[in-house]
Amino acid sequence: MDIRPFHQDDAAHLCNWFASEAELIQWGGPFLKYPLCEQQIEQMQSETEGHKPQRLMFSAFYNQELVGHAQLVLDWQHGVARLGRVAVNPTFRGQRLTQPFLQQIIERLFDQQEFSRLELNVFTFNRAAIQTYRKLGFQLEGIRRSCLQVGNERWDTAIFGMLRSDIKTAESLRALAS
């Protein structure tokens, strides 16, 4: 798996990954409009510019095909990043590509000494994502109950976090087990 910074050429592909408003909200939150369009992605991408960007966007490739997308929103002042807008190309779902993709993003983030915390929000019904986040070392920190209305449903959000020290502890435990 190869990851690289998101390129505008990836936008047309990403726009086709969400078949409904609910899928788009699950991925990008309530402030995006369905259907996802390249102009919305351009707005996100505009935040990736500068010495200390507000956002980083990543694309994952497997066998030269775009298979994944993820973003980090960066709080440089407090050393906190938020992982979000993680998506896998529908054609490649279920092939266990998300974990290695996100592992590379986590490593890149914590290679920057400015950041000591990575957090994320995930809807509680998204069991596959939660399982992946736990395997990566994220810890459940709480639940925001009934925080979003989508159609006639109310959705809960789980809040997960990971500290730089969590990575070191996990690496130490793996080394002891070897």
Side-chain angles (χ1 to χ4, degrees):
M1 167 133 358
D2 297 314
I3 69 168
R4 65 167 170 76
F6 180 84
H7 189 274
Q8 192 59 35
D9 292 344
D10 303 335
H13 300 285
L14 182 61
C15 288
N16 292 321
W17 291 1
F18 310 101
S20 68
E21 179 180 28
E23 284 184 15
L24 182 62
I25 291 171
Q26 182 180 347
W27 173 71
F31 302 110
L32 294 177
K33 302 293 181 218
Y34 182 78
L36 182 64
C37 66
E38 291 186 40
Q39 290 77 19
Q40 292 178 85
I41 295 172
E42 286 173 12
Q43 174 60 38
M44 293 174 221
Q45 197 169 15
S46 72
E47 297 174 355
T48 66
E49 299 168 5
H51 175 65
K52 289 188 174 181
Q54 296 174 315
R55 180 183 307 269
L56 298 175
M57 297 170 63
F58 299 94
S59 295
F61 289 85
Y62 184 72
N63 292 333
Q64 300 181 341
E65 290 203 53
L66 180 64
V67 297
H69 176 84
Q71 300 180 16
L72 292 173
V73 175
L74 306 171
D75 176 350
W76 292 90
Q77 180 179 354
H78 298 102
V80 176
R82 187 175 70 245
L83 176 64
R85 296 187 172 156
V86 176
V88 174
N89 180 332
T91 306
F92 291 90
R93 290 183 186 153
Q95 297 184 28
R96 301 183 187 268
L97 298 173
T98 308
Q99 188 171 338
F101 172 42
L102 295 181
Q103 185 65 48
Q104 289 185 53
I105 291 173
I106 292 166
E107 290 169 4
R108 286 184 184 198
L109 176 73
F110 286 133
D111 280 346
Q112 299 182 56
Q113 292 304 309
E114 295 92 345
F115 292 94
S116 60
R117 176 178 168 80
L118 178 58
E119 59 192 29
L120 63 87
N121 297 322
V122 59
F123 294 110
T124 56
F125 61 80
N126 193 344
R127 300 284 182 213
I130 290 170
Q131 182 178 16
T132 298
Y133 298 139
R134 286 183 187 273
K135 285 180 181 178
L136 287 164
F138 284 93
Q139 301 294 313
L140 177 65
E141 296 180 338
I143 304 288
R144 291 178 54 221
R145 297 177 301 143
S146 193
C147 64
L148 185 67
Q149 183 164 344
V150 178
N152 294 326
E153 298 179 342
R154 301 282 315 177
W155 293 359
D156 298 341
T157 301
I159 302 161
F160 284 82
M162 171 189 292
L163 303 177
R164 177 188 302 280
S165 59
D166 295 337
I167 300 293
K168 291 177 183 173
T169 302
E171 289 172 355
S172 297
L173 290 173
R174 281 194 296 273
L176 289 173
S178 307

